[in-house]
Amino acid sequence: MDNIQKSVEAIFEEDINPSLAMHAGSATVKKVWEEDKVVKVLIEFHGSCVGCDSSESATLIGIQNFLREELEIDGLEVIKE
């Protein structure tokens, strides 16, 4: 699981946060774990992402889909803290 967490954190640093920064936001990976054969990623939004309706839906789903594709893990779920 440590390798997956490092990969998730690298994707956030290299791809996701630069995109969020264009809208004055960012996200932090708080925890990565496996539960019932599903990889769960707990994130916390910062900046303009906090309280933004888009971060509640479209952005969260976009991050989840991007991670699934990059990591080639269909059973991956992103949860907002």
Side-chain angles (χ1 to χ4, degrees):
M1 192 55 61
D2 287 339
N3 289 336
I4 294 174
Q5 178 148 355
K6 288 178 185 177
S7 295
V8 168
E9 290 171 349
I11 291 168
F12 266 81
E13 183 178 323
E14 297 167 11
D15 298 302
I16 295 171
N17 275 326
S19 294
L20 294 175
M22 289 190 288
H23 301 278
S26 67
T28 303
V29 177
K30 303 297 279 184
K31 183 178 175 183
V32 178
W33 74 101
E34 187 174 350
E35 184 178 304
D36 298 325
K37 298 183 182 181
V38 174
V39 174
K40 308 237 180 183
V41 180
L42 179 65
I43 66 170
E44 179 180 13
F45 285 116
H46 306 282
S48 65
C49 292
V50 176
C52 173
D53 290 338
S54 179
S55 72
E56 296 285 332
S57 57
T59 304
L60 195 63
I61 291 168
I63 290 170
Q64 180 172 280
N65 291 339
F66 188 77
L67 288 173
R68 284 178 177 172
E69 185 177 309
E70 290 294 306
L71 298 171
E72 298 179 351
I73 300 174
D74 290 331
L76 184 140
E77 180 181 352
V78 177
I79 303 161
K80 183 184 127 248
E81 184 172 67

